[in-house]
Amino acid sequence: MKENFRGNYFLLLRIIVAALLEIYLLMTTKALNKGGYVVLFEAACFFTAVVLYGLWEKKIFLLAEIFTAGIFFSTTKHSFMLLFGIVCLDIVKVYSLGIFGYVLPLGISFFAGAGNFGQNFLLLVLVSFLYFQHNEIVLPYRKQIKEEEEFEMSLKRDMRKQEHIYRGNLENNMLRTENALLEERARLSQILHDKLGHNINGSVYQLEACKVLLEKDTKRVEKMIQAVINNLRSGMDEIRFILRKEQPKKHKLAIQELQTLCKGCEEKGIVCTLQINGAVDQIPENYLEVILDNSFEAVSNALKYADCTKITIEITKWNQFAQCMISDNGVGCNEIVEGMGLSGMRQRMRSIGGILEFESEIGFVVKMLFPLKGEEDE
């Protein structure tokens, strides 16, 4: 109800103004005595034209306003010339005559009867002011609000679309990682089968033979059992060697995940560069986990909000410190407000005694500094 009233308030206002103006003119003139029902009919026709134009704002109804006002004027002479004030104001709106167009109706007061000049002038000033307020203040404000709402909705749609794309790429990256893990497991299984299959099968056959010879040739069984023990020990040593050789180190996995993250950005058309400086393999594993988590969070924020074309992830190890810096060339922000994402990054850094800084003069920069001396001393 309130929304309908706000949208049509000026239509109601025009109807009220037209009705009051006609009543005022009918009461202050002797038109009814001279024309009787004809004047009332002409007044009703003009009022109907005003209502129809207010409802649909078509030029044909504006012509109807002019026509009925003209007939009214020809019947009552100067008495009802004030009605042309409403017609003039509607013409000003249709043809966008500007602010000074609202002054034109005031001139009608000079020809609408000398006896009531002051009253007629004030009435036209009031009506012109109402039209001016609606056309030049209210309508532009509504248009601005509507454009801002449409812009906000488009931003929300773009953010949802970007988030959908990001989630899809993340799922694809996870699938690629899982496939790589399955392939690695299959390869490792094949190596264990090729290296140890014959060894274990031989040991099983020897134990089966020992079971048969257990009561017949004890000494021979003892030698065979010792051979099986030696064979299995050798096999265990070989398993340990294979696992040590095949097991990837934590820092290699971290670099691989960051490279996957950069590849995901490049699929979105954003240049993402990973720079490694120094002996990264000396960075403790818990520090690497924080670097990974914060890097994913920083890149995710850049993709959602920064509107950037380039992202750089730089990890540096020197002396007793390590540093990770994630920067983009996006729009940045005047004031950094720490939401859940940035607060989570700060909490991770605080848990390991690291230092976290944000900069947004040009783009957005996340700086992480890790002290390594205490970690090495332990």
Side-chain angles (χ1 to χ4, degrees), residues 241-359:
F241 174 77
I242 291 173
L243 292 179
R244 279 196 299 269
K245 181 180 178 181
E246 297 295 331
Q247 183 181 11
K249 292 185 178 180
K250 186 69 175 181
H251 75 279
K252 290 184 178 179
L253 289 175
I255 293 174
Q256 184 177 1
E257 290 189 38
L258 291 174
Q259 289 173 342
T260 302
L261 178 63
C262 293
K263 187 176 180 181
C265 293
E266 291 173 356
E267 292 175 354
K268 300 181 181 66
I270 297 174
V271 178
C272 188
T273 306
L274 175 63
Q275 299 178 3
I276 305 295
N277 305 312
V280 180
D281 56 336
Q282 297 179 7
I283 299 177
E285 293 185 359
N286 59 334
Y287 287 12
L288 290 174
E289 292 176 0
V290 173
I291 289 175
L292 280 175
D293 292 339
N294 286 358
S295 296
F296 274 91
E297 182 67 34
V299 172
S300 176
N301 289 340
L303 294 177
K304 290 180 181 178
Y305 311 116
D307 192 22
C308 59
T309 59
K310 183 179 180 181
I311 300 175
T312 301
I313 304 174
E314 184 178 359
I315 302 175
T316 304
K317 161 67 174 65
W318 77 93
N319 295 331
Q320 304 300 326
F321 291 94
Q323 176 180 281
C324 177
M325 184 168 64
I326 303 104
S327 59
D328 63 67
N329 65 342
V331 295
C333 58
N334 296 328
E335 182 180 358
I336 299 175
V337 179
E338 295 191 14
M340 293 184 62
L342 299 185
S343 297
M345 295 170 66
R346 190 174 294 281
Q347 183 63 33
R348 295 186 199 103
M349 291 295 293
R350 189 179 293 124
S351 66
I352 60 173
I355 300 172
L356 179 66
E357 292 182 355
F358 302 116
E359 295 180 2

Side-chain angles (χ1 to χ4, degrees), residues 113-141:
N116 296 323
F117 169 76
Q119 295 179 10
N120 296 339
F121 182 80
L122 291 176
L123 283 173
L124 292 176
V125 167
L126 177 62
V127 175
S128 296
F129 175 76
L130 292 176
Y131 271 76
F132 172 79
Q133 182 187 39
H134 177 73
N135 297 336
E136 303 299 330
I137 299 176
V138 176
L139 288 183
Y141 179 73

Side-chain angles (χ1 to χ4, degrees), residues 137-159:
I137 299 176
V138 176
L139 288 183
Y141 179 73
R142 284 183 177 178
K143 182 180 179 181
Q144 180 183 355
I145 293 296
K146 185 177 181 181
E147 290 176 351
E148 290 178 354
E149 289 178 351
E150 291 177 351
F151 179 70
E152 183 179 355
M153 291 299 297
S154 66
L155 286 179
K156 289 181 179 179
R157 286 194 297 268
D158 291 341
M159 288 178 63

